[in-house]
Amino acid sequence: MENYIFEAEAKSKSEAEEYTLKTLRLNSDEVRFETVDSGKGGFFGISQKKPAIVRAYVISRDLPAEKIIHGVVLTVLKKMGIEAEVVGMGDVDGKIYVEVASKESGLVIGKRGSTLDAIQFILNLMVDSKIRHGRKIVLDIESYRDKRELSLVRLGKSVAATVAKTGKSKLLEPMNPFERRIIHMALQENEKVFTRSEGNGTYKKVRIIPMKDKHKYKDVVEKGPNNDLLEEVNFE
């Protein structure tokens, strides 16, 4: 995407520019437009007229980061063939949370959120290259991440109960750092089990282990006001 923040297409160049300003709630003096395709008619008027395509570049130093993020999010999804809209954006604990809506939410999410994570990674790289604001962008669609968190907490507690009852450890499915942290936190105060991550790369597995086996793991230390809480040293 080089340095442009938004790409739009419409029947004419002026309509594409107007759509850009309206969608991102910008003034005409805050961006400059580059015409990618003027949308001229087909060969001898026989083929269908192509849409006009324009790109918007930031020229105002005072343009809020949120508007740049808004444009980049929609353009990235558009390049994937997905029509979407940004329905919410806010700063929470130093992170910018972006909520989008789309009829093709399943494609955006992917298997266990893998596509959503990939889009989020690309989005952070692209926005950082433009404004270097130092804040992480968290992308969500139809509150998937909140639903996923609740699901993981239930999973962790359910498996922990089984581990405590049987005395045998259980290895969960591969998860990204954000999801593994949810499991760790959900079971942090459980006195019957402790957790640790296993594997290499971004997607690792969390093992839930009965407390009676703590002596088998050298990287587990006692912690807490009564020294009765165990947790992984390399906590994510």
Side-chain angles (χ1 to χ4, degrees), residues 85-117:
E85 63 175 320
V86 174
V87 295
M89 190 181 306
D91 193 323
V92 180
D93 296 329
K95 298 179 181 179
I96 298 179
Y97 285 78
V98 182
E99 179 79 18
V100 300
S102 173
K103 294 181 180 179
E104 300 170 287
S105 58
L107 291 177
V108 177
I109 295 171
K111 185 177 181 180
R112 297 195 185 96
S114 59
T115 303
L116 184 62
D117 288 340

Side-chain angles (χ1 to χ4, degrees), residues 68-153:
I68 295 176
I69 294 170
H70 189 159
V72 175
V73 168
L74 295 183
T75 302
V76 168
L77 293 175
K78 180 70 174 179
K79 292 290 186 180
M80 295 174 60
I82 297 171
E83 294 291 339
E85 63 175 320
V86 174
V87 295
M89 190 181 306
D91 193 323
V92 180
D93 296 329
K95 298 179 181 179
I96 298 179
Y97 285 78
V98 182
E99 179 79 18
V100 300
S102 173
K103 294 181 180 179
E104 300 170 287
S105 58
L107 291 177
V108 177
I109 295 171
K111 185 177 181 180
R112 297 195 185 96
S114 59
T115 303
L116 184 62
D117 288 340
I119 297 173
Q120 177 178 288
F121 178 75
I122 294 172
L123 176 62
N124 274 278
L125 288 179
M126 295 179 69
V127 172
D128 188 58
S129 70
K130 300 177 191 305
I131 55 178
R132 298 190 180 281
H133 60 153
R135 291 179 291 175
K136 180 180 179 180
I137 300 169
V138 179
L139 182 65
D140 200 3
I141 182 168
E142 296 184 359
S143 300
Y144 168 79
R145 295 196 186 281
D146 287 339
K147 296 173 184 175
R148 177 65 170 161
E149 180 173 352
L150 291 174
S151 175
L152 288 172
V153 170

Side-chain angles (χ1 to χ4, degrees), residues 14-49:
S14 60
E15 287 184 17
E17 292 178 354
E18 183 179 350
Y19 173 76
T20 298
L21 297 176
K22 181 179 180 180
T23 300
L24 302 185
R25 298 178 182 177
L26 296 171
N27 297 318
S28 58
D29 60 350
E30 293 178 311
V31 294
R32 71 172 177 83
F33 288 103
E34 173 189 77
T35 302
V36 179
D37 195 316
S38 60
K40 295 180 179 179
F43 185 67
F44 288 119
I46 298 176
S47 59
Q48 188 175 7
K49 182 180 179 180

